[in-house]
Amino acid sequence: NKALEFQQKSGGAIGDILLSFNLVDAQTLCRTIASQQGIGRTGCQFDIDSSVKLPEEIAREFKAIVVHTSLRRVVVAVAQKLTPDQLGRLETLLDHRIEQVLATHAELQYFWNLAYAEELLAISTEKLAVDRPDQSAVVIFNTRQWAVMAALFAALIIGLCFNWLRTILVINVVIQMLYFVAAALKFYMTLLGTRSGAQIIITDEEVAAVDERSLPVYTVLVPMYKESCVIRQLVANLERLDYPKHKLDIRLLVEEDDLEAQRLLRSMYLPPYYTMLIVPDGKPKTKPKACNYGLINARGEYVVIYDAEDRPDPDQLKKAYLAFQRSPGNCCCIQAKLNYYNSEQNLLTRWFTQEYSMWFDLLLPGLMQLKVPIPLGGTSNHFKTEVLKNLNAWDPHNVTEDADLGIRLYVEGFTTGIVNSWTWEEANSHLVNWIRQRSRWIKGYMQTWLVHMRFPLRLWRQVGSRGMLGVQVIVLATPLLPLINPFLWLMMILWFAAGYHFIPLLFPGPIYYLAALELVIGNFLFVFSNAIGVYWIISELHQKRDFTFSYSLVKYALLTPFYWMLMSVAAYKAAVQLITRPFYWEKTDHGLTNTSYCGWKTSA
């Protein structure tokens, strides 16, 4: 009666509802349904016969796996009873009579891993590189790029030999122009983000009015590695999601060598809408590879990624669903906004919070207004599952797979929307840990730019002039400016401290005034953007009673130049790793936050 009453409200299969309420176990339910439908029932007692099996894509389409063969028949484990047409097609394909046996989701996953281990690993690591090698970072520099770099280096050496002053002057002029354009456009994008309509606003009343019977199955991918310290809190955060539990497909993606996490998850006896997937060991060992692995058999119409330390707003899935309904058909991604719950822990977390407030609350909505490629966040991006699969999902060789995917979506004609829902993360509070994380992000932006600029004229035709400019301002400038900054700071210090006579020679005429404008106005705009980002998010959060953001964060924006120095350290580390270890995923440690620093009014 309880399940039937809930079904009237939220729709869905009665068996899934019984499971979600823990009113029956999966084995009993599966045995009962098999008896009702007049087919067999399987457990995990079969030894998979790999000599006879369906092609992986057919098995995935029919959710059917060959588990036993004999001279006269083939036993096929199925998620639900096959229709006569499906049965006839498979019998023709296998040239055997088929006996169906019903399996639970967990059993099918077990059989799947046994029967298709090689295929699953190949899909998650090689599919993009095979289908679209021009979009894969498996090769960082192609022959043409090496040739261009060699030509530029040769031109630099020749120029320095013949007239070193004029050569350095030309380089300086180019840098100043790039800096000016990047600073001006980035601030303009930030201003656009303050417009009404810059993001998709879903009200609490709209969420409350959702007919839960219309809600589709939603897949939640949670990649993790060595995250045992936050797993219990992760499950608590996922349980807070306001979404019919029987319509959730939560897939916890655990690396094969992370035995501690596997033992912990098994000991927790999670509800049946959770699935622990063991991602097979193999190169590259990256988050996008794990996400690709989890996506292969995802059951949801929509799919979202959360990191292990994330705390999404409880209504986020419903808001994303409503945002998709409100958006045009070519909208493939809804990006929720990210920020930090431990913003007041130390100076580093305050800087990090300012940066994220500006990026997700102002800059990305501004990019959406301009209709240019949007570099997605690494978490809380919601996708249409089939579109994502058709695009070959994430590039497992790109260590900032989110930014890369944002450009690929745009190239294929899809758009991204920003919704007024937040996911709260743990800001990096340890300097070394922060350097590891930031250098990986910057290295990924380098990879992304190199991949998509292999054929610049083709990219220009695909994204248009506005999109091309957006790629340069966001994707190129993100690693380039931190690499350039130390040289500009050095010249400024040498001039003001020692008055070196050759420095004025590098800033003749209008270049001097342009550089002075950038020094004073440009730096002010960067600092002001960080400060206004905090003000903006506080104004948006003023009605959220379970979280507080302090205006005291704003004053720390005055110290932002020191934060840029740390970015330059991370950028040079990224540049070295781009050559020496391009696919190395530097692990970011989580669970470092003292809960007394968290902004949540309720206990963690």
Side-chain angles (χ1 to χ4, degrees):
N1 287 336
K2 180 180 178 181
L4 286 170
E5 182 181 350
F6 190 82
Q7 188 185 45
Q8 290 295 315
K9 172 179 177 287
S10 300
I14 192 70
D16 291 338
I17 297 173
L18 288 166
L19 284 175
S20 69
F21 284 157
N22 201 27
L23 297 174
V24 66
D25 63 84
Q27 304 289 337
T28 301
L29 177 66
C30 191
R31 186 167 56 249
T32 303
I33 294 175
S35 177
Q36 287 178 342
Q37 297 183 346
I39 60 176
R41 164 76 183 102
T42 184
C44 293
Q45 69 270 28
F46 289 105
D47 293 323
I48 297 293
D49 182 2
S50 59
S51 62
V52 178
K53 66 179 183 181
L54 294 166
E56 187 277 332
E57 62 274 11
I58 299 296
R60 185 156 24 108
E61 177 186 352
F62 288 93
K63 296 182 176 60
I65 302 173
V66 175
V67 293
H68 183 70
T69 59
S70 65
L71 292 176
R72 295 185 177 182
R73 64 173 186 164
V74 171
V75 179
V76 176
V78 294
Q80 58 186 17
K81 187 177 180 180
L82 299 173
T83 66
D85 288 343
Q86 291 174 326
L87 190 63
R89 181 178 170 187
L90 293 188
E91 286 184 337
T92 300
L93 187 64
L94 294 172
D95 196 24
H96 278 75
R97 185 174 64 85
I98 285 179
E99 178 183 343
Q100 301 178 65
V101 289
L102 198 64
T104 67
H105 290 308
E107 290 163 354
L108 273 179
Q109 192 62 55
Y110 171 77
F111 293 140
W112 201 276
N113 291 339
L114 289 179
Y116 297 102
E118 293 183 4
E119 290 89 341
L120 296 179
L121 185 59
I123 291 172
S124 58
T125 58
E126 301 172 9
K127 195 170 189 307
L128 179 65
V130 171
D131 291 354
R132 292 298 304 270
D134 58 312
Q135 294 185 348
S136 172
V138 66
V139 175
I140 300 298
F141 301 97
N142 64 13
T143 304
R144 180 182 303 182
Q145 288 170 321
W146 279 116
V148 170
M149 288 190 293
L152 290 175
F153 183 74
L156 174 63
I157 296 301
I158 294 171
L160 291 174
C161 291
F162 281 92
N163 192 324
W164 68 270
L165 182 58
R166 180 168 295 180
T167 300
I168 296 178
L169 178 61
V170 170
I171 294 172
N172 187 38
V173 170
V174 172
I175 289 175
Q176 299 301 328
M177 295 301 296
L178 288 174
Y179 224 112
F180 179 79
V181 171
L185 286 179
K186 205 166 185 180
F187 185 68
Y188 175 64
M189 294 170 182
T190 302
L191 287 179
L192 289 179
T194 65
R195 289 182 175 179
S196 60
Q199 55 184 294
I200 302 171
I201 303 296
I202 307 295
T203 65
D204 293 342
E205 291 75 19
E206 289 176 289
V207 172
V210 168
D211 181 358
E212 291 191 347
R213 291 172 298 180
S214 67
L215 294 176
V217 174
Y218 220 115
T219 292
V220 179
L221 300 180
V222 188
M224 62 182 76
Y225 185 57
K226 307 295 185 182
E227 303 280 15
S228 297
C229 60
V230 298
I231 283 178
R232 292 189 184 278
Q233 185 62 52
L234 162 70
V235 173
N237 293 338
L238 294 176
E239 287 298 298
R240 292 174 66 248
L241 290 172
D242 177 22
Y243 204 85
K245 296 296 188 286
H246 66 287
K247 293 185 177 182
L248 287 177
D249 171 32
I250 301 177
R251 308 171 78 79
L252 306 177
L253 312 176
V254 184
E255 295 291 335
E256 188 175 13
D257 62 345
D258 192 357
L259 301 180
E260 181 182 2
Q262 294 173 34
R263 286 193 295 267
L264 177 57
L265 288 170
R266 289 192 180 104
S267 72
M268 294 173 69
Y269 298 102
L270 295 171
Y273 46 86
Y274 285 85
T275 303
M276 180 178 67
L277 291 179
I278 310 301
V279 181
D281 202 11
K283 301 296 182 182
K285 192 171 187 174
T286 59
K287 172 183 172 181
K289 181 194 111 177
C291 290
N292 286 343
Y293 192 85
L295 183 67
I296 294 172
N297 287 311
R299 295 186 289 114
E301 181 178 336
Y302 300 111
V303 59
V304 62
I305 301 173
Y306 291 129
D307 288 336
E309 81 280 11
D310 285 355
R311 181 173 180 173
D313 283 348
D315 59 2
Q316 187 173 118
L317 300 188
K318 287 183 177 178
K319 280 191 172 182
Y321 167 76
L322 291 173
F324 275 119
Q325 304 310 303
R326 185 181 297 181
S327 302
N330 66 336
C331 178
C332 171
C333 176
I334 298 294
Q335 172 72 65
K337 296 185 282 190
L338 309 180
N339 220 301
Y340 297 116
Y341 54 72
N342 60 324
S343 58
E344 298 282 359
Q345 184 169 352
N346 57 31
L347 183 58
L348 191 59
T349 62
R350 292 182 177 101
W351 282 335
F352 219 167
T353 301
Q354 291 172 358
E355 180 186 17
Y356 259 40
S357 299
M358 181 275 294
W359 187 272
F360 284 97
D361 282 77
L362 295 176
L363 184 63
L364 292 192
L367 291 176
M368 190 175 80
Q369 289 286 290
L370 277 177
K371 295 180 172 58
V372 298
I374 294 180
L376 304 176
T379 177
S380 305
N381 28 49
H382 303 250
F383 299 97
K384 293 177 178 177
T385 305
E386 283 307 310
V387 174
L388 187 60
K389 288 182 178 181
N390 292 337
L391 289 175
N392 293 316
W394 298 273
D395 184 354
H397 295 90
N398 192 314
V399 296
T400 312
E401 77 293 339
D402 38 17
D404 168 72
L405 181 57
I407 296 178
R408 287 199 284 123
L409 288 173
Y410 189 89
V411 167
E412 296 296 332
F414 295 103
T415 63
T416 298
I418 311 296
V419 72
N420 64 324
S421 179
W422 284 266
T423 293
W424 302 95
E425 298 188 306
E426 178 191 6
N428 235 315
S429 56
H430 290 192
L431 180 58
V432 174
N433 202 37
W434 182 91
I435 293 290
R436 287 203 301 266
Q437 183 184 61
R438 185 52 59 106
S439 64
R440 173 173 58 80
W441 291 356
I442 294 176
K443 180 173 67 174
Y445 269 73
M446 294 174 179
Q447 288 178 312
T448 300
W449 188 82
L450 288 168
V451 165
H452 292 283
M453 287 297 290
R454 287 170 179 165
F455 305 99
L457 293 179
R458 185 184 72 178
L459 180 65
W460 198 338
R461 288 195 300 269
Q462 290 172 330
V463 302
S465 298
R466 180 184 298 183
M468 189 69 167
L469 185 59
V471 169
Q472 309 313 314
V473 170
I474 299 300
V475 180
L476 174 61
T478 296
L480 185 61
L481 297 188
L483 291 173
I484 292 173
N485 280 338
F487 295 101
L488 302 181
W489 296 333
L490 178 62
M491 284 195 292
M492 184 179 68
I493 292 171
L494 290 176
W495 172 245
F496 285 112
Y500 275 54
H501 67 280
F502 72 87
I503 293 179
L505 299 177
L506 303 178
F507 295 89
I511 299 302
Y512 172 83
Y513 296 102
L514 181 62
L517 189 68
E518 290 171 1
L519 177 65
V520 179
I521 305 299
N523 283 283
F524 167 77
L525 292 179
F526 280 127
V527 172
F528 179 71
S529 298
N530 279 359
I532 202 172
V534 175
Y535 272 107
W536 193 261
I537 189 174
I538 290 174
S539 69
E540 290 188 290
L541 292 174
H542 73 282
Q543 293 181 337
K544 291 179 71 69
R545 298 180 179 180
D546 62 342
F547 191 82
T548 57
F549 244 13
S550 171
Y551 281 107
S552 65
L553 283 172
V554 176
K555 63 187 178 185
Y556 295 98
L558 297 174
L559 301 176
T560 301
F562 295 101
Y563 190 52
W564 298 337
M565 293 180 185
L566 298 180
M567 287 189 190
S568 292
V569 174
Y572 277 94
K573 181 181 179 183
V576 172
Q577 282 200 351
L578 183 69
I579 305 299
T580 60
R581 308 177 75 181
F583 312 127
Y584 175 59
W585 186 282
E586 287 203 272
K587 176 74 176 68
T588 302
D589 296 326
H590 297 120
L592 305 177
T593 300
N594 185 327
T595 55
S596 64
Y597 289 107
C598 296
W600 302 104
K601 290 181 179 178
T602 53
S603 64

